[in-house]
Amino acid sequence: MKDFEKEVISRIQVLPDDKRLRKAAAEFMLASTEPKYSYNFNWQGRPIIQYPQDIVAMQELIWEVRPDLIVETGIAHGGSLIFSASMLAQLDLCDAIKTGRTIDPKKSGRKVVGIDIDIRAHNRVAIEAHPMASRIQMIEGSSIDPVVVDQVRHVAKSYDRILVCLDSNHTHAHVLAELEAYAPLTSLGSYCVVFDTIIEDMSADMFPDRPWGPGNNPKTAVCEYLKTHPEFEIEKSIQHKLLITVAPDGFLRRID
Ligand SMILES: C[S@@+](CC[C@H](N)C(=O)[O-])C[C@H]1O[C@@H](n2cnc3c(N)ncnc32)[C@H](O)[C@@H]1O
């Protein structure tokens, strides 16, 4: 390992002990939630409801895992779908450079499948008109509807390296059902990323019009799921380096 990489790893290892920095990050997370900071960004022209830090973390994971399929629950305006598709396009481009062969996106197979209970017509039109559209498959329906789960499982059969992202309804019961349905699709060494585990660390009055809150959210679902699924472990180094993330304890790496 190069000296620079060693230095980065040792700097990240001590970040959990840096109380001042952790406090500042926690305060930022709290202060930025109410003004809907996560709604401020676009990826290649489509609104992406993520913190920039988490987008960078996803870029690192996709580059490391080199998935051929990404499964995402929660489409909204399509920004995260376009992001995933654009990363898959980059992987194809790199393969093409390495092998000297041109890769037709329609034939390469690398794609993202997104599921949403309500794909608004204007979002669908914009996603389908995007240059990344050929890599995107959208399924409308509840992500825990057995018919939808079967559809996704059917798609996944044709792929070897699969990465999963859960970002739809954030209640405990829903995320636990999503984990049961989709986490098993995660290939060895890849990740199942569970967004909005941060809700556990927020105050109850921050979600007055939502069914989720402290005690009932993606983090409680992750804790429950991991009790019986030792094939996953939380990759803590990701949240340690990010400091600012909506997914603390939500980066689950498949180790078995
Ligand atoms: C936070 S947004 C997704 C944001 C998107 N991943 C991004 O980064 O831009 C949550 C989405 O989940 C969808 N949703 C809510 N309940 C759902 C369910 N039961 N099944 C599938 N999608 C659901 C909502 O319609 C909404 O579009």
Side-chain angles (χ1 to χ4, degrees), residues 47-50 74-76 80 115-117 141-143 167-169 174:
I48 180 167
I49 309 172
Q50 297 291 352
I75 295 176
S80 59
I115 306 120
D116 201 293
I117 198 165
S142 174
S143 52
D167 188 20
S168 68
N169 176 323
H174 187 85

Side-chain angles (χ1 to χ4, degrees), residues 8 24 32-33 60 97 112 146 167 242 245:
V8 172
S32 60
T33 299
E60 289 191 8
I97 291 167
V112 49
D167 188 20
L242 289 177
T245 174

